[in-house]
């Protein structure tokens, strides 16, 4: 399985706090059957994003991991005015590896007006946005019509693995199940921050997704689609979203 959203690198954001913690996260991921991890440090007001520095840490983490899991660099890209301007000027500064895929995190405090326009501009500049954890967002979690509009605009949707297995509570789990019903989920990822509570695991969520859909779809969410992301190819599993009430 391939995890495209993981705060594995130590000391760069609110994820891993030390190399020891990173080592433990690598062990958990490997034990869960994860073969590739995209390291996705935050880029926001609290955590500036330095691609060169992060790449150095990815190389160190890879040396620690050995051959597996294989590591790449991405970004948990906060959708702020400054970030958008910088990404438009440097379209590969924040994407997954050298691909056009860009993980986009919306503000926890809601979705600002003009968001669709901003996302449209990023797509126009050649990026392929993947909206992270709408099920945990104050606005998107309740407004799946907005999620649908983002998908129709050309975005993909990444749901948190642990949202499906109940870590975030019933409200978030139900929102996740609704997103599945509306066929608005393209990738499951861990969004891991540590080796225990928010750990890099996908197997339990894959099994939960298989119950909601079927085995092949669940595998597409943790294997086929995320592999296409890290290889910069079009996603092979592209569900046709269900309209409201359908
Ligand atoms: Fe994250």
């Amino acid at each position: 399985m391939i995890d495209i959203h993981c705060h594995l690198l130590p000391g760069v954001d609110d994820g891993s706090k030390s190399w020891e913690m990173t080592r433990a996260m690598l062990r958990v991921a490997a034990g869960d059957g994860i073969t590739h991890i995209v390291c996705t440090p935050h880029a926001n007001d609290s955590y500036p994003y330095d691609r060169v520095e992060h790449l150095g840490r990815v190389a160190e983490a890879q040396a620690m991991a050995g051959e597996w899991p294989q590591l790449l660099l991405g970004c948990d890209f906060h959708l702020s005015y400054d970030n958008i301007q910088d990404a438009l000027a440097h379209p590969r500064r924040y994407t997954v590896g050298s691909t056009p895929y860009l993980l986009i995190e919306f503000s926890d405090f809601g979705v600002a007006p003009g968001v669709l326009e901003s996302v449209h501009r990023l797509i126009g500049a050649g990026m392929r946005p993947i909206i992270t954890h709408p099920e945990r967002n104050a606005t998107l979690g309740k407004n799946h019509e907005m999620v649908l509009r983002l998908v129709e605009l050309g975005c993909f949707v990444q749901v948190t693995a642990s949202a499906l297995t109940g870590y975030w509570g019933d409200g978030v789990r139900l929102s996740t199940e609704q997103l599945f019903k509306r066929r608005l989920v393209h990738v499951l990822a861990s969004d891991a921050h540590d080796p225990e509570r928010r750990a890099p695991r996908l197997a339990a969520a894959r099994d939960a997704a298989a119950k909601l859909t079927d085995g092949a779809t669940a595998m597409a969410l943790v294997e086929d689609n995320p592999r296409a992301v890290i290889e910069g190819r079009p996603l092979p599993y592209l569900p046709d979203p269900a309209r409201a009430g359908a």
Side-chain angles (χ1 to χ4, degrees):
M1 294 178 289
I2 295 167
D3 190 6
I4 65 162
H5 187 167
C6 182
H7 298 266
L8 179 75
L9 300 180
V12 298
D13 60 13
D14 59 345
S16 172
K17 294 188 177 9
S18 65
W19 281 109
E20 267 323 293
M21 198 182 250
T22 295
R23 188 192 298 278
M25 289 172 78
L26 284 165
R27 264 195 223 114
V28 169
D32 199 59
I34 291 171
T35 57
H36 299 72
I37 297 174
V38 183
C39 305
T40 52
H42 285 291
N44 59 26
D45 290 344
S46 307
Y47 304 111
Y49 184 91
D50 184 328
R51 185 96 179 172
V52 173
E53 202 182 304
H54 290 332
L55 278 170
R57 277 194 170 79
V58 170
E60 276 187 74
Q62 187 68 71
M64 180 178 261
E67 194 177 353
W68 304 101
Q70 292 189 4
L71 309 178
L72 296 89
L73 181 62
C75 174
D76 199 347
F77 182 86
H78 189 79
L79 199 62
S80 66
Y81 178 81
D82 288 348
N83 269 358
I84 292 163
Q85 297 308 310
D86 200 49
L88 289 171
H90 309 280
R92 289 293 179 273
R93 180 170 285 174
Y94 300 96
T95 56
V96 173
S98 51
T99 78
Y101 288 103
L102 175 72
L103 264 61
I104 291 186
E105 179 184 44
F106 282 67
S107 164
D108 285 339
F109 305 107
V111 175
V115 148
L116 288 173
E117 170 63 25
S118 302
V119 169
H120 187 65
R121 289 179 69 200
L122 293 171
I123 293 171
M127 284 164 267
R128 293 184 191 178
I130 301 173
I131 309 300
T132 64
H133 49 71
E135 78 284 357
R136 286 161 43 204
N137 180 270
T139 305
L140 293 179
K142 296 186 185 71
N143 186 352
H144 293 171
E145 280 305 300
M146 182 72 172
V147 179
L148 173 65
R149 286 171 71 189
L150 286 160
V151 168
E152 286 176 337
L153 205 57
C155 296
F156 307 103
V157 173
Q158 175 253 303
V159 157
T160 318
S162 59
L164 210 43
T165 51
Y167 174 79
W168 300 91
D170 283 346
V172 169
R173 184 174 52 77
L174 290 172
S175 175
T176 306
E177 291 178 3
Q178 277 302 119
L179 287 167
F180 267 90
K181 276 203 188 107
R182 304 252 339 235
R183 299 163 59 84
L184 288 168
V185 183
H186 301 95
V187 176
L188 281 172
S190 74
D191 193 6
H193 282 62
D194 61 56
E196 284 146 18
R197 286 157 48 84
R198 296 180 68 184
R201 296 184 199 274
L202 294 175
R206 174 201 59 204
D207 296 346
K211 285 190 187 133
L212 284 179
T213 56
D214 56 73
T217 303
M219 279 312 287
L221 302 178
V222 295
E223 173 71 37
D224 308 340
N225 273 0
R227 186 175 294 280
V229 169
I230 65 172
E231 293 177 357
R233 294 183 283 110
L235 301 194
Y237 168 68
L238 271 186
D240 194 16
R243 309 286 170 244

